[in-house]
Amino acid sequence: MFVDEVIIELTAGRGGDGCLAFRREKYIPMGGPYGGSGGKGGDIIFKADEGLRTLIDLRYQKHVKANPGKNGEGKNKNGSAAEDTIVKVPLGTTIKDNETGVIIADLTKNKEEVIVAYGGRGGRGNVSLATRTNPCPSYCEYGEPGENRKVKVELRMLADVGLVGLPSVGKSTILSMITNANPKIASYHFTTLSPNLGVVTTKDNYSYTVADLPGLIEGASKGAGLGDKFLKHVERTKIIAHVIDMSGIEGRDPYDDYITIRKELESFNSKLLTKKEIIIANKMDIEASKDNLKHFKEKIKLPIYEISAINNQGLDKLIEVLKDLVKNTKEDILYEKDSQESHILYKFKTEKPFTIIKEKNTYIIKGEQVEKLFKMTNFNTEESYVRFSNKLRKMGIDDELEKMGISEGDTVRILDYEFEWTK
Ligand SMILES: Nc1nc2c(ncn2[C@@H]2O[C@H](COP(=O)(O)OP(=O)(O)OP(=O)(O)O)[C@@H](O)[C@H]2O)c(=O)[nH]1
Ligand SMILES: [Mg+2]
């Protein structure tokens, strides 16, 4: 199939923990906080790399994790930030949020990159937590957890060569003869309903990909026949191989066929005409083909490759010609008109406010912000408890609990932990 797709889980790096330390040095009588902050956790960044062609590497990497930041240390030493983790993907890769389907990024240019999962910030050490009212706090923060999300990574595959032409000219037959693909072949029009992709391996072991595109007819760019659904795939091929039924067996003039297709390509995206193109004259085994070709050559001054796909004639030469063209053509991807700009979504994180659910005498508090605060709190001292409860109060959780009728001794739960409620 043309679309390659992988779902992977990402966990960005956790921030390093803050450090709780006090100054105890000779000649410095007052001491004071001395714990450094943790470093930021690594982000997970997707980066387009023109050297890649498939998502195969991701298939073996179902869960990508970034490194955590280093913990802060005494003597006010801050932990260093973790290096980001780079996931390389081919050009033409789209990254979507797996839950919502929202496009996070569409990477189309080499080296283009986007942060897909953010690393957590480092927890503050007690130096950074000092305030005027509490100049020497005896608490510190844990690092913030890294962002965790599932994404769907999609690649619209790029073929080196696209076989283009009217229905029944023999595109699928050519593909079946020169590549490992097994497309359906039949004498009626529109046998091929979606593009097939095959790999050609030459005698000297060079390989390139060829796509057999569904037949185009006049008006395809405006929706006739199978429409322009597949013309966009032509934008993603390096070379256009124009297949012409030279026999005229269906009553058309091969030259008109050629002009029709060129017009369709042009009205879909005029840049398509700037792509390298070769002309394949097929069905040369049929008697009328010789004459038709003579007339055709009078009007078209381009090199034409004569073949009979069904009899395997002229195909060895064709394979070599295409190989040289593929080798000597730089990646040339044109994009659909509406997405010429590549697309990167810069997200603004909004943390949902808390919710409280009552189950018997237990009040369960949920919400990103509260849970994060909880995870970042190191409950090793009385003071850190006080700080934690002050923060809950500021968020309005106490008021809400009281409104819901909480009373002394009831249980409050955040994540897996339970507290006894006291005023
Ligand atoms: N005589 C002759 N017939 C051919 C040759 N190549 C293909 N055909 C026949 O032409 C018909 C159409 O071939 P396909 O390969 O299905 O054509 P297509 O261009 O893929 O057609 P669509 O998928 O409908 O667009 C089939 O009946 C083939 O057997 C050839 O070199 N000589
Ligand atoms: Mg076909």
Side-chain angles (χ1 to χ4, degrees):
M1 246 342 263
F2 242 53
V3 179
D4 199 5
E5 176 182 297
V6 184
I7 294 171
I8 50 171
E9 185 172 353
L10 307 175
T11 308
R14 184 176 181 279
D17 296 337
C19 170
L20 181 65
F22 302 95
R23 220 165 159 145
R24 286 181 233 282
E25 277 175 46
K26 261 187 184 173
Y27 314 119
I28 304 178
M30 293 298 285
Y34 218 13
S37 298
K40 187 183 154 299
D43 295 333
I44 298 179
I45 296 174
F46 279 59
K47 185 170 183 178
D49 182 336
E50 63 185 357
L52 295 174
R53 316 273 348 228
T54 66
L55 296 176
I56 203 95
D57 298 345
L58 288 187
R59 289 201 183 277
Y60 298 104
Q61 241 191 324
K62 288 274 162 196
H63 193 167
V64 177
K65 294 175 190 160
N67 292 319
K70 287 265 171 357
N71 294 341
E73 288 174 28
K75 298 196 179 164
N76 196 17
K77 194 165 170 261
N78 291 334
S80 52
E83 244 180 69
D84 297 328
T85 295
I86 310 261
V87 179
K88 287 186 183 164
V89 291
L91 305 194
T93 297
T94 304
I95 303 145
K96 288 181 182 166
D97 186 288
N98 192 45
E99 234 165 80
T100 61
V102 170
I103 296 176
I104 301 161
D106 192 3
L107 301 176
T108 59
K109 299 185 193 80
N110 192 32
K111 298 203 170 120
E112 192 170 35
E113 57 180 46
V114 58
I115 301 174
V116 182
Y118 286 85
R121 72 170 169 86
R124 282 172 290 181
N126 64 341
V127 170
S128 298
L129 287 164
T131 58
R132 206 190 315 200
T133 49
N134 188 358
C136 185
S138 63
Y139 53 80
C140 58
E141 287 173 334
Y142 284 130
E144 183 187 17
E147 190 180 0
N148 180 274
R149 68 190 314 193
K150 273 196 180 149
V151 292
K152 187 190 265 181
V153 186
E154 289 177 353
L155 172 66
R156 273 166 286 172
M157 248 188 258
L158 316 169
D160 293 313
V161 179
L163 296 168
V164 173
L166 285 150
S168 291
V169 295
K171 302 177 295 295
S172 300
T173 310
I174 297 174
L175 189 80
S176 73
M177 297 296 281
I178 67 173
T179 74
N180 56 346
N182 271 318
K184 188 170 169 194
I185 295 165
S187 57
Y188 56 86
H189 286 190
F190 302 120
T191 308
T192 303
L193 293 173
S194 62
N196 298 299
L197 196 71
V199 181
V200 177
T201 308
T202 63
K203 288 196 188 91
D204 55 346
N205 254 331
Y206 183 80
S207 56
Y208 56 89
T209 50
V210 179
D212 156 31
L213 302 170
L216 295 173
I217 57 169
E218 192 172 349
S221 60
K222 307 209 166 42
L226 290 172
D228 62 3
K229 218 160 89 191
F230 307 109
L231 275 163
K232 70 174 192 285
H233 288 295
V234 186
E235 294 182 313
R236 292 175 175 241
T237 62
K238 272 190 187 175
I239 289 148
I240 295 178
H242 205 132
V243 185
I244 293 170
D245 177 350
M246 221 21 101
S247 70
I249 205 163
E250 296 195 19
R252 298 183 311 255
D253 179 350
Y255 175 75
D256 291 344
D257 282 8
Y258 178 74
I259 298 300
T260 303
I261 297 297
R262 293 276 294 180
K263 270 198 196 137
E264 288 314 314
L265 295 180
E266 182 176 20
S267 57
F268 183 72
N269 181 348
S270 58
K271 284 193 192 136
L272 284 175
L273 298 189
T274 63
K275 279 192 188 273
K276 278 194 193 163
E277 181 197 355
I278 72 162
I279 299 175
I280 300 172
N282 191 28
K283 307 200 185 176
M284 288 309 292
D285 52 287
I286 295 175
E287 200 41 49
S289 298
K290 302 260 173 330
D291 261 3
N292 289 339
L293 182 65
K294 225 169 81 193
H295 295 305
F296 190 86
K297 279 185 172 165
E298 281 161 14
K299 293 178 192 150
I300 307 268
K301 298 286 169 233
L302 292 167
I304 295 165
Y305 299 91
E306 300 170 38
I307 64 165
S308 164
I310 215 164
N311 294 331
N312 194 6
Q313 267 163 19
L315 293 177
D316 287 343
K317 170 94 187 289
L318 183 66
I319 287 173
E320 290 302 310
V321 169
L322 289 174
K323 178 185 83 179
D324 292 338
L325 274 172
V326 170
K327 269 189 174 172
N328 298 321
T329 309
K330 262 198 64 166
E331 202 72 68
D332 174 23
I333 312 158
L334 305 171
Y335 285 90
E336 302 94 290
K337 277 158 267 175
D338 56 321
S339 69
Q340 267 164 13
E341 289 282 302
S342 55
H343 168 119
I344 293 181
L345 186 79
Y346 293 96
K347 54 176 185 165
F348 298 95
K349 279 181 87 174
T350 46
E351 284 167 350
K352 285 175 226 113
F354 60 86
T355 51
I356 304 175
I357 305 161
K358 190 180 174 191
E359 271 176 22
K360 286 187 189 154
N361 286 333
T362 302
Y363 293 79
I364 303 161
I365 308 176
K366 285 188 176 162
E368 259 178 84
Q369 217 180 334
V370 193
E371 285 169 13
K372 193 183 283 175
L373 174 69
F374 177 81
K375 284 183 190 160
M376 292 180 75
T377 302
N378 178 343
F379 293 98
N380 58 349
T381 61
E382 182 70 26
E383 219 179 308
S384 54
Y385 268 104
V386 173
R387 176 171 181 260
F388 181 73
S389 17
N390 283 340
K391 290 219 163 181
L392 293 192
R393 187 165 312 128
K394 271 196 203 139
M395 286 164 72
I397 290 178
D398 285 27
D399 288 348
E400 188 62 33
L401 285 170
E402 277 171 23
K403 248 191 249 162
M404 291 173 77
I406 196 166
S407 48
E408 203 78 16
D410 284 347
T411 308
V412 172
R413 188 194 302 159
I414 299 175
L415 295 168
D416 294 338
Y417 290 81
E418 295 191 337
F419 309 83
E420 197 171 291
W421 171 259
T422 49
K423 268 242 156 193

